[in-house]
Amino acid sequence: MRTMTIVAVAVGLMGGSASAEPVKVGMITTLSGGGAGLGIDVRDGFQLALDQAEGHEVELIVEDDQQKPDVAVQIADEMIQSEDVDILTGIIFSNLAMAVVPSATAQGRFYLSANAGPSQLAGEMCHENYFSVSYQNDNMHEAAGAHANDAGYGRVFIMAPNYPAGQDSLTGFKRFFEGEVAGEVYTQLGQTDYAAEIAQIRASDADAVFFFLPGGMGISFLKQYDQSGVELPLIGPAFSFSQDILPAVGEAALGARNTAQWSPDLDNAANQAFVASFREAYGRTPSLYASQGYDTANLILSALETAHPDDADAFRSAVEAADFESTRGDFAFGPNHHPIQDIYVREVVEADGELTNRIVGVALEDHADAYADQCRM
Amino acid sequence: MSLLLLIEQVLNGVQFGLMLFLMAAGLTLVFGVMGLINLAHGSLYMVGAFACAAVAAATGSFWLGLAAALGAAAAAGALVEVVVIRRLYNRDHLDQVLATFALILMFSEGTRWAFGSFPLYLDVPAVLAGSVTLPGGIVYPEFRLALIGVGLAVAAVLFWLIGRTRIGVRIRAGEADREMIAALGVDIGRLYTVVFALGAALAGLAGALVGTVQSVQVGMGEPVLILAFVVIVIGGIGSIRGALLGSLLVGLTDTLGRVLLPQAFALAMEASAANAVGSALASMSIYILMAAVLVWRPGGLFGAPA
């Protein structure tokens, strides 16, 4: 036993390579309730990247936050204090991220977001150990606003749930949309009945409806909207038309335009390999969330090749370098550790017997977030 | 806001309330007759929705799915009563809460194991897929009108069943004094199973109907369960009449609160701030309603005086 320890220490001393000591990654994500599909896809995408990498020393611990901030905080405390994880990731919903991330980074852990990107953490509350691999929340909504201009919509009815990402959503849309807002509604997070909102849409004289409703909320809204007889075109961020909900929505979603930094048909080698291997491993088409989980894992693996998180400065520089094959093609971090990336316009189509998204254009090129100059790190 | 829009919103509130009533009726019967807190009622709602979606997908017929939902939820309810619940009648409420909470976890994991974690597809039947124009020019989805009709019909049948039939007499007697009616020769065990299965079937019906306009997924029952508890506390525990009135009050308060509060605040402050404050307050409105009712009548609207 003693020999083993000595060998292990020796290997650790010898290598600049980080493969000596296992790196613990704690994933806090939503695996039950109306947001379960999102967390499951992040987890499965992340796991797929680990499975494909050889010889890594990552130990992944996954816990279900039940979409409750108090549960997420409790899991984070346990992961940091008992499990002593090096890196945290996985949170889907921004209200949970706001509850967990500031305390985790204050305790010297790295947090790499595979989904939530609230504006506060991109601006005044930014931290050197916090990275958003996915996006800053406003990004897709800003792109949707730009697309609404291109599509010639003069008056748009806008709607999102009342929580940090919902507020970022409508703020982002209005930042780029040049027309008039025909109506603005905040719904409850987790709301499932949208009759009252649809009646307001019908009564407004809008040209189009922009809505941000991820997971089960989007399914409910799309089905009810389809039955209501209101014919206004729908636009939204990719969350509202993501692969995890399309099979449950059915044809009601066909033709809808949505904005995202990724799409299953995005034409680069890394992405085509990812989509094919995800289909093979899990028997379904990956969603945006799965691509973000996959990219986050690959980013972590790439950084681990040069540094271990125990050497925080070296590991941080390695993450900043973002030297990995992203499913999005080119990938780079801005000064506040949020991506600078193209945001595409996608359309819901039926292909090979399933509903999915296809890219129809680019909404914003090399788009950075609006909060970077408020960030001092 | 125009009068027509207000009427449409009232219809939405009534429809939401009547679906809550289907859940609350079973919950209040079980609580009133057996003195049992059943947290697993939301799971029976989920069972109904999944049975409907699965059978509708396999056969292509929504109506067969609906029948399957009723059957599956009633069967699940009867099974749970015989296997688990029966042992809890004489235990205190904490034991009941713990045991039925465990049932929620088992139902959720079981459903996830059988159907996967992603939402299932369930759409309205073709005959009810469109919308109709009501007198006055309100365009309203046919399926939602049908939901209002089903809710009213179930309420009427329940009032008749409880008030006018032999089984209803026994249910009411069981509520008043369970030892005495057992002594009079009523098979109280079977009565309990029947009441529980009836409540479960109503929850399954609600799950299938509501799942059709919302999303059919694991965990869909718990948010509704909380609302159903609010309803029976407002209405008075054990009272079907209270459950109906409570459901309508909650449905209308929630729907109209969501619409009217942001507009009311907009009169006094800037639009997007009013929106945020109004929506936040709207999400609290039914709990404020509950608190107000309890201050006024601590036993609920139709409950025994506390």
Side-chain angles (χ1 to χ4, degrees), chain B residues 152-177:
Chain B
L152 290 175
V154 168
V157 169
L158 271 182
F159 281 117
W160 170 77
L161 188 78
I162 304 286
R164 297 261 185 273
T165 65
R166 193 159 190 87
I167 186 163
V169 171
R170 288 179 176 173
I171 290 173
R172 279 180 291 145
E175 227 171 317
D177 191 333

Side-chain angles (χ1 to χ4, degrees), chain B residues 247-259:
Chain B
S247 308
L248 291 174
L249 272 177
V250 167
L252 286 169
T253 306
D254 186 68
T255 305
L256 294 179
R258 260 155 52 201
V259 177

